[in-house]
Amino acid sequence: DLVRSRGLGDVYKRQVYDAHEIFSHELPAASEDAFYRQKKAQAEKTILTAADFVIVPNKQRIQFFQQFHTGLEAVRYSLIENKSLAAYTIPVSAVFTEQLLPHQCSLFYGGSFWYGRKQDEFPFLGQALATAQIKFVLSGGRNEYLDALLKEPGTQYLGNIPAEQYCSFIEHISIGLAWYFPTTINDELCAPLKIFDYLAKGKPVLAARLPYLVELSERYPGTITLFEPGNWRECCEKAIEVKQQYTLIKQQFAAVSLEVFTWEWQYNAIDQDFLKAGIHLCAE
């Protein structure tokens, strides 16, 4: 008994492992020594085995764990998606919205900026979009990589929108961009919160063609348009298509209750999963 071996007496404390990242493959194989990767894989397997409950954000990660760590049929997985927290929002500041021109079609990317995501293509994408009267706007934490991108024409940086204002801001954009590039397994099996933030506000989504995003596009037909990861030309072409078919795409949302994209909608399902594992959340 793991708990008793730690000298905690007869009280058994439940252990929940949040596996939103695949710890054993957080870096590209070429950039990490095989010894350290093996040790991390062993630690990950031990944690999966010891936990009473393993939370994952999509079924693709469950499949990865099952194939990579063989012989762990008894692991209890619970699929809890990274949905939008609708209640955690306040009206967005005019500092951000006043930078958007009224009635102008905009493609919005909000998130982190780093070399592995192939965002060097953003200035090219922005310049191509401009010829179709689509404004490419960015938000997120500023760093040296983003500063280098902003030296080139084609994009407009709005600033770092506070998390509690993010959902309110989305109401003011036209299309949400989920730009991911599969540098690591975690990127390939990405489960971005932002895609649900866009959908919860009824905004069409432009997303990289990665396993989980393909699944979402099939689950919610017509609301998500896919492009080859890292391909700014196809991304631009698809953005133009979305603009041209905007009214039709917006009608697709009528077939889906927008509350299914929210965290609040999942409360009962989450509670039932925990109860099956013998864990009482003590929450109403």
Side-chain angles (χ1 to χ4, degrees):
D1 186 303
L2 181 61
V3 173
R4 287 178 178 170
S5 68
R6 292 174 178 170
L8 298 180
D10 295 327
V11 178
Y12 180 79
K13 293 186 177 180
R14 298 291 184 176
Q15 299 180 59
V16 178
Y17 176 43
D18 184 354
H20 273 58
E21 297 293 325
I22 299 173
F23 183 60
S24 57
H25 284 66
E26 61 185 356
L27 299 173
S31 64
E32 186 172 42
D33 185 275
F35 173 81
Y36 292 105
R37 174 149 296 197
Q38 180 185 31
K39 293 302 180 183
K40 290 198 300 183
Q42 291 173 345
E44 183 176 71
K45 184 173 183 178
T46 300
I47 296 170
L48 289 169
T49 305
D52 296 280
F53 202 57
V54 178
I55 297 174
V56 287
N58 57 37
K59 66 180 181 182
Q60 288 80 9
R61 291 181 186 246
I62 297 176
Q63 293 167 351
F64 174 86
F65 285 132
Q66 290 175 333
Q67 294 170 5
F68 184 70
H69 298 293
T70 58
L72 301 186
E73 290 78 8
V75 175
R76 186 191 298 274
Y77 294 103
S78 178
L79 200 164
I80 301 177
E81 294 178 299
N82 281 334
K83 294 194 175 180
S84 181
L85 186 57
Y88 182 64
T89 186
I90 63 174
V92 64
S93 169
V95 171
F96 303 110
T97 57
E98 66 187 8
Q99 299 182 63
L100 301 174
L101 296 178
H103 311 298
Q104 181 183 44
C105 182
S106 58
L107 177 66
F108 172 68
Y109 172 83
S112 57
F113 297 87
W114 66 290
Y115 296 91
R117 288 190 173 171
K118 205 175 181 180
Q119 293 162 326
D120 305 58
E121 313 293 341
F122 277 7
F124 302 111
L125 173 60
Q127 293 174 52
L129 289 169
T131 64
Q133 285 73 55
I134 301 175
K135 188 66 176 179
F136 189 25
V137 293
L138 311 175
S139 172
R142 195 151 186 169
N143 55 26
E144 292 182 0
Y145 180 59
L146 175 58
D147 286 339
L149 296 180
L150 296 177
K151 291 179 181 178
E152 303 294 331
T155 62
Q156 179 182 359
Y157 177 66
L158 303 178
N160 192 10
I161 300 173
E164 65 273 15
Q165 298 182 33
Y166 191 81
C167 289
S168 176
F169 173 80
I170 290 173
E171 297 176 2
H172 298 269
I173 58 100
S174 307
I175 308 167
L177 175 62
W179 177 281
Y180 286 89
F181 190 74
T183 305
T184 68
I185 293 294
N186 280 305
D187 290 325
E188 182 179 348
L189 304 182
C190 66
L193 167 62
K194 63 174 61 67
I195 202 167
F196 286 106
D197 284 333
Y198 298 147
L199 293 173
K201 293 299 181 180
K203 300 297 181 178
V205 176
L206 197 57
R209 193 178 292 107
L210 294 171
Y212 179 55
L213 303 184
V214 171
E215 179 199 331
L216 290 179
S217 72
E218 295 170 348
R219 197 191 311 173
Y220 307 112
T223 62
I224 301 173
T225 301
L226 303 172
F227 63 93
E228 178 186 355
N231 188 330
W232 67 266
R233 291 182 176 84
E234 185 180 9
C235 180
C236 180
E237 293 170 0
K238 295 299 183 180
I240 294 172
E241 289 180 15
V242 171
K243 179 184 177 184
Q244 294 171 340
Q245 302 172 12
Y246 201 81
T247 301
L248 176 60
I249 293 174
K250 290 287 286 185
Q251 291 174 353
Q252 301 287 341
F253 280 93
V256 184
S257 176
L258 297 185
E259 68 177 9
V260 305
F261 301 124
T262 67
W263 179 259
E264 289 82 357
W265 186 83
Q266 292 192 106
Y267 280 164
N268 287 336
I270 294 170
D271 191 46
Q272 290 302 310
D273 274 357
F274 272 79
L275 287 174
K276 290 176 183 176
I279 301 172
H280 295 265
L281 296 179
C282 300
E284 294 295 333

